[in-house]
Amino acid sequence: MSGFTTLAVHAGQEPDRLTGAVIPPIYQTSTFVQDGINVLRDGHEYSRGSNPTRNGFEQQLCALEKGASGFAFASGIAAEDALLRAVLRPGDHVVLGADGYGGTNRLVSRVLAPWQVQHTAVDVTDLDAVRGAVTARTRLVWVETPTNPLLGIADLAGLAELAHEYGALLVVDNTFASPYLQRPLEFGADAAVHSTTKYVGGHSDVLGGAVVVADREWHVEAVNGFSPGSTLAELAAFQQFAAGAVAGPQDTYLAARGLKTLALRMERHQHNAGQIAQWLTQRPEVSQVFYPGLPDHPGHELAARQMDGFGGMISFRLRAGEAAARRFAESTQMYKLSVSLGGVESLICWPSQMTHGCVAGTENAVPTDLVRLSVGIEDVEDHLEDLELAFTS
């Protein structure tokens, strides 16, 4: 069984051995009975360390990302934090995408900075800019592609080669694309991270995050009981257990259920998004449309090579400026004004003061005339009608 949807349905989701239930049960338990002191059943002792529901979801997502090991966390930021703490030490440096999720920037610049972790924000679609930002202490190159919210496309193979040339890891936030459209580990990335709240869960009813790692060594100093040559899987597993920001069984059950229909949902998301993006290019109110599926997008050819589709996210700028963008975001009806993305329902946001408010006023600020759409699976005619009404309101 190697097909994507087949793996999504079956990997880590074997029927219950005891009852034969087709859907594995939710193991809503904090601890597990031992048959003797430290004699564990199937390796389960305490749900922070291991829970069958979480383990099944981790195997499922890992199979789809073509990774060696997967780890589920309580949120996307918890997943990012665990990976960063697993591999960084005080004095280390991170090359970070300038166009990226505001929460990632906040985590690195305000949470890890007091821990003496430094960072440089660059345009990750420009390999020369990334190379110029690397220092002797660079340990991670952290990218999103497509980027958030300007939907730039980064060259994953080129970035992997560059990062490894300098002894650094390449970490890719794959939330926007999902493993259905893009699998960064196949291009040499060392880890893929997700907010499983988004396309993986797919129904806006779960909060979660995940890290999937490749089977590569990561040469760290001999600290915290790890010797040089420890694998990323060992480091991530220790961080997950020791820090404990794990995903709960109910959340991982919902995320696993969502993964089973990911392929079907993503096809509808991107079918709708492609038509809407083309329609937006014809609107006189719009000055620029950001969607990698458009032939004139600067990353279109690269996206066509490294992705299996162009996704369900669109951003666009309004000619009339900030006030018009804000008014538009507050004028839709089917598109709900909200942060987040990737659910079956359509969402709209004004990134400069919503998802990216923490970088407002900085060199990484998002244009104030920008609107972002998370295109849902509703009928495309209803999408266009709703957007038309917002333009004319």
Side-chain angles (χ1 to χ4, degrees):
M1 296 189 296
S2 59
F4 184 92
T5 303
T6 304
L7 287 173
V9 171
H10 294 288
Q13 303 296 305
E14 290 298 320
D16 180 49
R17 289 181 296 175
L18 178 63
T19 66
V22 172
I23 302 301
I26 302 171
Y27 286 86
Q28 194 72 50
T29 184
S30 59
T31 193
F32 300 85
V33 168
Q34 300 185 19
D35 294 322
I37 295 175
N38 293 328
V39 179
L40 311 180
R41 298 185 188 180
D42 288 340
H44 302 299
E45 176 187 29
Y46 186 64
S47 274
R48 172 163 51 84
S50 178
N51 178 286
T53 311
R54 185 175 79 239
N55 296 354
F57 168 65
E58 290 171 339
Q59 294 168 26
Q60 183 187 22
L61 182 59
C62 185
L64 298 181
E65 281 284 11
K66 307 299 184 184
S69 300
F71 306 90
F73 294 88
S75 69
I77 283 294
E80 294 186 12
D81 183 61
L83 182 58
L84 289 164
R85 292 182 186 273
V87 300
L88 295 176
R89 301 293 178 262
D92 284 348
H93 175 260
V94 178
V95 175
L96 184 66
D99 178 31
Y101 173 48
T104 304
N105 183 287
R106 180 175 54 233
L107 175 64
V108 174
S109 65
R110 299 185 62 181
V111 177
L112 294 184
W115 198 43
Q116 304 305 310
V117 170
Q118 303 171 1
H119 78 282
T120 302
V122 298
D123 178 2
V124 295
T125 68
D126 183 343
L127 287 176
D128 290 335
V130 175
R131 183 179 296 276
V134 173
T135 75
R137 292 294 298 176
T138 299
R139 295 293 177 265
L140 288 178
V141 176
W142 187 289
V143 305
E144 298 175 19
T145 182
T147 62
N148 180 11
L150 297 180
L151 296 164
I153 303 298
D155 181 349
L156 292 178
L159 286 167
E161 183 178 356
L162 189 158
H164 296 158
E165 176 185 343
Y166 290 95
L169 294 173
L170 175 64
V171 178
V172 180
D173 185 334
N174 202 30
T175 298
F176 265 32
S178 86
Y180 179 65
L181 299 182
Q182 180 174 265
R183 291 159 298 281
L185 304 187
E186 294 182 336
F187 294 89
D190 299 281
V193 298
H194 285 274
S195 171
T196 56
T197 308
K198 312 303 194 297
Y199 285 112
V200 168
H203 294 79
S204 300
D205 57 3
V206 62
L207 190 69
V211 175
V212 178
V213 301
D215 185 17
R216 298 190 184 93
E217 292 185 349
W218 171 236
H219 296 284
V220 298
E221 298 173 3
V223 295
N224 296 337
F226 290 101
S227 60
S230 296
T231 65
L232 270 176
E234 291 170 332
L235 295 171
F238 175 79
Q239 191 69 28
Q240 184 190 47
F241 174 75
V246 297
Q250 182 70 31
D251 291 337
T252 48
Y253 162 77
L254 288 171
R257 185 181 67 172
L259 263 184
K260 293 176 182 180
T261 61
L262 177 63
L264 305 177
R265 289 185 286 105
M266 290 307 298
E267 286 296 332
R268 181 72 171 199
H269 284 301
Q270 64 181 355
H271 170 268
N272 286 348
Q275 293 194 49
I276 294 165
Q278 185 61 47
W279 180 80
L280 286 169
T281 65
Q282 307 303 313
R283 298 295 308 193
E285 304 93 338
V286 175
S287 62
Q288 190 174 9
V289 180
F290 301 88
Y291 184 67
L294 293 173
D296 61 352
H297 185 285
H300 175 73
E301 291 186 4
L302 176 59
R305 291 198 303 270
Q306 71 183 23
M307 299 176 69
D308 294 325
F310 302 109
M313 300 298 299
I314 304 172
S315 293
F316 59 96
R317 302 180 72 170
L318 292 177
R319 295 187 189 279
E322 176 178 335
R326 179 169 188 154
R327 183 171 60 252
F328 186 94
E330 293 178 332
S331 298
T332 54
Q333 296 180 31
M334 188 182 78
Y335 277 82
K336 304 305 181 185
L337 180 63
S338 181
V339 298
S340 199
L341 58 104
V344 292
E345 70 292 323
S346 293
L347 300 178
I348 187 169
C349 84
W350 189 38
S352 64
Q353 293 298 319
M354 293 176 69
T355 55
H356 291 68
C358 62
V359 294
T362 73
E363 61 182 9
N364 298 322
V366 173
T368 58
D369 60 359
L370 188 81
V371 172
R372 191 188 75 181
L373 304 179
S374 174
V375 177
I377 67 169
E378 305 94 342
D379 294 300
V380 71
E381 295 81 7
D382 292 322
H383 285 269
L384 298 179
E385 180 181 1
D386 192 39
L387 297 172
E388 174 73 36
L389 290 172
F391 276 122
T392 57
S393 64

